[in-house]
């Protein structure tokens, strides 16, 4: 039962058949008939539409991502961290924090009314000038380093701002008291 493949082929006569000479040509004709090769058709409208869409998207992307370029005359500035009293020592940081907290607290306590507008605005102008001076002194501290004069000037600036607010509060109390007396005097008449 188990015969080898060689034994099977040994007994059989092998016939050598050859292919006809035009076999390859006939095969290619049948193949072309079954699967015809289509030549690509160029539709110029499709190509033109694709180019227009591509140009439109490019223009839109350019406008979307366009950044303002600085003029050549402008010089790019680096941001420098301005140092304050906290840079010099932790004790001076406490002093600075105390004065700034007191200034903000006093500002929050002041009642702004139309009658006190002129007085209040005058003090605010003075406070803004002192704030500008404080910033200038902070820049000086940053650029030239801590010195006794600069540190004292910064502390004096904070003291002066706080005393201005105390003075404003006192004047507002006096103004309200005088208006109350005038109002009481008019009611009694």
């Amino acid at each position: 039962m188990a015969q080898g493949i060689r034994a099977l082929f040994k007994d059989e006569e092998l016939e050598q058949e050859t292919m006809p000479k035009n076999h390859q040509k006939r095969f290619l004709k049948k193949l072309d008939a079954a699967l015809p090769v289509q030549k690509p058709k160029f539709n110029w409208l499709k190509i033109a539409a694709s180019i227009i869409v591509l140009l439109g998207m490019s223009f839109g992307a350019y406008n979307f991502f366009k950044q303002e370029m600085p003029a050549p005359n402008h010089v790019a500035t680096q941001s420098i961290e301005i140092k304050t009293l906290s840079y010099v020592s932790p004790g001076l940081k406490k002093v600075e924090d105390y004065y700034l907290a007191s200034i903000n607290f006093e500002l929050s306590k002041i009642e702004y009314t139309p009658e006190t507008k002129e007085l209040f605005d005058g003090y605010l102008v003075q406070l803004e000038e002192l704030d500008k001076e404080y910033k200038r002194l902070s820049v000086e501290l940053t650029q030239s380093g801590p010195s006794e004069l600069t540190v004292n000037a910064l502390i004096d600036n904070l003291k002066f701002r706080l005393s201005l607010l105390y003075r404003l509060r006192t004047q507002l109390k006096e103004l309200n008291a005088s208006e109350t007396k005038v109002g009481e005097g008019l009611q009694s008449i």
Side-chain angles (χ1 to χ4, degrees):
M1 196 179 239
Q3 295 179 350
I5 293 179
R6 290 184 188 195
L8 285 174
F9 283 113
K10 204 180 224 187
D11 294 338
E12 294 225 7
E13 286 186 31
L14 291 178
E15 295 180 18
Q16 290 286 52
E17 290 187 21
T18 59
M19 293 281 196
K21 290 184 179 179
N22 61 356
H23 170 72
Q24 188 174 7
K25 289 180 184 177
R26 281 186 316 164
F27 178 74
L28 289 175
K29 279 183 185 179
K30 287 181 182 179
L31 187 61
D32 285 340
L35 301 169
V37 176
Q38 295 179 350
K39 295 182 180 178
K41 296 179 182 177
F42 287 105
N43 191 343
W44 295 106
L45 290 177
K46 289 180 182 179
I47 294 172
S50 298
I51 291 172
I52 290 173
V53 167
L54 181 64
L55 288 174
M57 289 177 64
S58 298
F59 181 72
Y62 172 76
N63 284 336
F64 182 74
F65 293 111
K66 181 173 65 172
Q67 295 179 355
E68 290 285 326
M69 299 300 281
N73 295 350
H74 295 135
V75 176
T77 58
Q78 295 178 348
S79 62
I80 299 172
E81 183 180 339
I82 303 297
K83 297 175 181 165
T84 59
L85 290 175
S86 60
Y87 167 73
V88 178
S89 77
L92 289 176
K93 179 183 178 5
K94 288 180 183 179
V95 170
E96 180 182 40
D97 290 344
Y98 166 77
Y99 278 114
L100 290 175
S102 298
I103 289 168
N104 289 332
F105 180 70
E106 288 299 320
L107 274 173
S108 68
K109 286 183 7 181
I110 295 174
E111 293 181 26
Y112 181 80
T113 61
E115 294 82 26
T116 60
K117 179 185 182 328
E118 189 175 317
L119 180 65
F120 190 74
D121 288 344
Y123 275 94
L124 281 181
V125 168
Q126 290 178 357
L127 286 172
E128 286 174 11
E129 288 177 16
L130 287 171
D131 190 46
K132 287 178 187 175
E133 180 64 19
Y134 187 81
K135 288 177 182 174
R136 187 193 64 74
L137 288 168
S138 295
V139 169
E140 183 179 320
L141 177 73
T142 303
Q143 291 175 346
S144 62
S147 71
E148 187 177 344
L149 289 174
T150 307
V151 170
N152 286 336
L154 285 167
I155 293 172
D156 289 343
N157 182 294
L158 292 170
K159 285 180 185 176
F160 193 60
R161 280 198 269 175
L162 188 58
S163 69
L164 269 177
L165 290 173
Y166 287 145
R167 196 174 336 154
L168 173 62
R169 186 179 61 180
T170 305
Q171 286 184 350
L172 289 175
K173 283 182 182 177
E174 290 173 2
L175 184 64
N176 287 338
S178 66
E179 286 178 1
T180 307
K181 288 180 183 177
V182 170
E184 289 175 1
L186 291 175
Q187 287 178 353
S188 63
I189 295 179

